[in-house]
Every structure is written in structure tokens, then in C-alpha cells.
Amino acid sequence: ANGYFYSRWAKCIHSSRDFSDMVFIDNYIFNKDVYIQFNSTVGEYVGYTELGVHNAELWNKDPNQLQQERAEVERYCKHNAELYQSAIADKS
């Protein structure tokens, strides 16, 4: 494959059953390197390359975008974790 590779990879991490330590991480990847990341613990975007730093500065100035990413812990992570946990508990 000659060309460029772009992907976005989001994940939720937790270790307690009540999901109180749930963390949402949203990675933006270009050619297999993370160039910008949102981490719900940090609460804003962090850039890891020149382009990532530039985009992080722009995106962090947009309160709507930050609010939407911060809400993903509840909307995406906790919602799905509760579904998975109940599906597993129903099987035992």
C-alpha cells in the first residue's frame, strides 16, 4: 500500500466494577504514529507532533468540541461497560 495511513482509535479503560475510575482515550493516528490524543483524565487534547500540537491548540479553544469529548466517558464508555458487565453477569 503506497500512500498514507490515517486512523482514529478510541478506548475505555477501567479497573473497578462501579466504573468510578473510567478513562476515555481518543487517539488520532497518521502513518502508525499517534499525533494527537484526547484523554478524559487530562480533559483536553495533547499534540505529539508539530501538526498535533497545532491541532490541539485549535481544538482546545473550542468549548463545544471539548465538552463533547469529555461527555464520551458517560455516553460511550460507561454505557457500553454496563451492557458488557450485565451480559457477562447473566451468563454465570
Side-chain angles (χ1 to χ4, degrees):
N2 296 327
Y4 300 103
F5 175 77
Y6 170 82
S7 66
R8 186 173 172 189
W9 180 57
K11 65 179 175 179
C12 304
I13 302 170
H14 68 93
S15 60
S16 65
R17 288 183 173 254
D18 66 356
F19 311 126
S20 60
D21 61 347
M22 183 78 67
V23 177
F24 173 70
I25 299 174
D26 194 4
N27 291 305
Y28 295 77
I29 303 162
F30 183 72
N31 285 350
K32 300 181 183 178
D33 291 322
V34 174
Y35 71 95
I36 191 167
Q37 179 183 78
F38 179 86
N39 182 320
S40 63
T41 304
V42 176
E44 63 182 23
Y45 293 95
V46 176
Y48 295 103
T49 65
E50 186 176 344
L51 175 63
V53 169
H54 176 73
N55 284 341
E57 289 172 358
L58 291 175
W59 297 353
N60 286 333
K61 291 178 185 176
D62 183 352
N64 292 328
Q65 187 162 352
L66 285 177
Q67 182 180 2
Q68 184 175 348
E69 283 279 26
R70 291 174 182 152
E72 291 299 290
V73 173
E74 295 293 327
R75 187 196 71 79
Y76 176 72
C77 292
K78 290 185 179 178
H79 170 74
N80 286 323
E82 289 168 358
L83 292 174
Y84 296 144
Q85 187 170 344
S86 66
I88 292 168
D90 289 346
K91 298 221 184 254
S92 55

